[in-house]
Amino acid sequence: MSKVHVKKGDTVVVLSGKEGLRGETGKVKAVMPKEGMVVVEGLNLIKRAVRPNPRNPQGGFIESEAPIHASKVMPICPSCEKPTRIRKKVLPDGTKARVCAKCDGVLDTK
Ligand SMILES: [Zn+2]
């Protein structure tokens, strides 16, 4: 089991971090459980220099997301639309679900 509390596809809010990143929301693009980091779509963009290549003959800079420490993000519940903690729950039909600790809304099932 990974210690990262969010999953790919979750919408998260950044709780702490540098100015301009704090309070931003986005969708988790990738989880790096070993590092305890997540990559969030459109957040924490860094510019990287690229050498000219066939796709980008001029070279130059591309923007890509740098990983954010998972402890700095919190999932947003799609039901109550608030940042929340996630609980695990077994539904009456036996399905395991991740539910919102605040409103009990189901985030997803597996
Ligand atoms: Zn909720």
Side-chain angles (χ1 to χ4, degrees):
M1 203 185 114
S2 84
K3 54 188 175 180
V4 177
H5 61 295
V6 293
K7 273 178 35 176
K8 193 176 164 182
D10 283 352
T11 301
V12 296
V13 59
V14 181
L15 297 176
S16 60
K18 59 190 179 197
E19 202 62 45
L21 183 59
R22 209 166 43 228
E24 292 293 312
T25 60
K27 203 172 229 191
V28 175
K29 225 167 97 165
V31 176
M32 300 149 76
K34 258 191 221 152
E35 291 85 357
M37 309 283 280
V38 294
V39 177
V40 184
E41 223 169 72
L43 295 192
N44 210 21
L45 292 173
I46 46 162
K47 278 194 177 141
R48 284 188 308 163
V50 285
R51 291 211 179 96
N53 60 46
R55 234 176 27 168
N56 190 353
Q58 301 283 315
F61 293 91
I62 54 161
E63 283 199 318
S64 65
E65 293 97 345
I68 302 170
H69 207 270
S71 65
K72 290 184 177 169
V73 304
M74 197 169 213
I76 295 178
C77 168
S79 304
C80 64
E81 295 177 349
K82 287 181 188 132
T84 184
R85 289 190 317 147
I86 288 174
R87 288 193 301 119
K88 297 219 164 97
K89 190 179 174 182
V90 180
L91 301 178
D93 66 357
T95 318
K96 283 182 188 154
R98 293 158 76 227
V99 301
C100 169
K102 283 183 180 153
C103 73
D104 231 26
V106 175
L107 276 87
D108 59 12
T109 56
K110 63 173 178 189

